[in-house]
Amino acid sequence: MALGNSPHKLEDEESYFVSMTDIMVGMLFIFIIMLMAFALNLREQEEKFADTTESLIQANETRRQMLEGIKEAMERHGVKVIIDTENGVLRLPEELLFPRGEFQLTKRGEEALTRLADVLAAILPCYSKAPPTVVVECPPSKGGRLEAVFVEGHTDDRPVTGRMASGIRSNWELSTARSIQTYNALVGSQPTLSLLDNDGHQRILGVSGYAENRPVRTDDSEEARSANRRIDLRFLMATPNKDYLARMQEDVHKAARKP
């Protein structure tokens, strides 16, 4: 007599296959959900990184416009200055401000810095926090705020021998004294400049001296040395801090490594 599958056995096999199908469908559904979550997370992190990159580009463009505006305004006053838009620098040569080897401003230098103070007082409040009493007309901006403006003193590579009549004994002292004199002349003419804050509620205007350690030209010529004797106003734009950028980049990498 032929043996066949019993009804109970067939039911058990069908239940087994149904259960396996349900499990596979469930696993596939979970996998799809995980894949969608991964894609959304990766897209979100990439968008954040792209937004940060775009804000940096906009800040640099704002700084370029700011420097060009200052240069144009100074030239309307008959004062020629040099700008380096890539590094955010407004350059004032030694002969515009100081006698050779001295830190006291010439009459011409005082007049030039008075003009510059007026120009800065009309422009910098647009990119910083100014006292409520300060009202200026601001041009359209692509975005970006000032973090700091450093008044930097620089000398050539010839060492100071002995003590100068002014009491200066080194290029460090000369560069620092010149930056302080420049700062004092600017805020003395426009006191508002000393009250401008960045968005972190810190004063934006400061001084520094670098002696001969940051030349713009390295060739051994009098023309190069003359170019290196200068005052630079270095404009730094506020950017996301390094920890924030590092965390953002790590989040993108983690999202990309997830299954």
Side-chain angles (χ1 to χ4, degrees):
M1 183 177 67
L3 297 176
N5 292 329
S6 68
H8 292 297
K9 187 174 182 180
L10 289 174
E11 289 177 1
D12 290 342
E13 289 179 352
E14 288 177 358
S15 297
Y16 171 77
F17 284 119
V18 169
S19 298
M20 286 297 296
T21 301
D22 289 343
I23 291 172
M24 293 299 294
V25 170
M27 291 179 64
L28 180 60
F29 180 75
I30 292 172
F31 176 76
I32 292 173
I33 295 297
M34 291 177 62
L35 186 62
M36 290 176 62
F38 158 73
L40 289 173
N41 184 50
L42 180 60
R43 181 178 178 181
E44 179 182 353
Q45 298 303 328
E46 288 177 341
E47 286 178 349
K48 286 183 179 179
F49 206 76
D51 289 343
T52 301
T53 302
E54 180 63 23
S55 69
L56 295 176
I57 293 172
Q58 290 174 345
N60 285 335
E61 177 62 17
T62 295
R63 184 173 66 178
R64 182 189 66 78
Q65 292 179 345
M66 189 190 316
L67 286 171
E68 290 178 349
I70 294 171
K71 182 175 184 290
E72 291 172 3
M74 291 297 289
E75 288 180 348
R76 286 196 298 269
H77 290 301
V79 181
K80 290 187 177 181
V81 297
I82 302 166
I83 59 173
D84 176 354
T85 56
E86 182 176 351
N87 294 302
V89 171
L90 175 74
R91 185 154 295 143
L92 308 172
E94 177 193 53
E95 60 267 20
L96 177 63
L97 303 177
F98 302 102
R100 177 74 180 275
E102 298 293 328
F103 67 89
Q104 297 295 338
L105 289 162
T106 62
K107 183 66 174 177
R108 180 187 175 209
E110 291 176 353
E111 293 173 352
L113 291 179
T114 296
R115 297 295 189 187
L116 179 57
D118 292 341
V119 172
L120 294 178
I123 292 178
L124 298 192
C126 296
Y127 308 98
S128 59
K129 289 184 178 293
T133 54
V134 176
V135 179
V136 295
E137 185 176 343
C138 297
S141 171
K142 291 183 176 295
R145 303 279 289 172
L146 277 169
E147 173 66 23
V149 179
F150 290 118
V151 181
E152 301 178 347
H154 301 270
T155 69
D156 62 26
D157 60 351
R158 287 175 176 162
V160 173
T161 56
R163 182 191 292 266
M164 294 182 180
S166 59
I168 294 296
R169 293 172 295 183
S170 70
N171 281 331
W172 283 109
E173 291 184 11
L174 180 59
S175 63
T176 304
R178 284 182 167 182
S179 64
I180 293 173
Q181 283 291 99
T182 302
Y183 172 90
N184 287 339
L186 291 172
V187 301
S189 179
Q190 285 287 348
T192 298
L193 294 174
S194 66
L195 303 176
L196 300 178
D197 288 349
N198 59 26
D199 290 338
H201 305 287
Q202 299 171 322
R203 296 288 189 255
I204 67 169
L205 203 60
V207 300
S208 55
Y210 292 100
E212 70 276 12
N213 294 294
R214 292 194 177 186
V216 291
R217 290 182 55 175
T218 57
D219 52 301
D220 187 17
S221 67
E222 184 52 41
E223 185 181 356
R225 289 190 174 94
S226 178
N228 291 332
R229 298 191 297 268
R230 68 199 192 275
I231 290 288
D232 282 352
L233 269 66
R234 187 176 301 276
F235 294 74
L236 302 181
M237 304 301 288
T239 60
N241 62 53
K242 292 181 180 179
D243 291 340
Y244 173 79
L245 291 175
R247 288 197 304 272
M248 183 181 295
Q249 193 169 28
E250 181 61 23
D251 287 343
V252 173
H253 290 164
K254 285 181 179 178
R257 289 195 298 266
K258 286 181 180 179

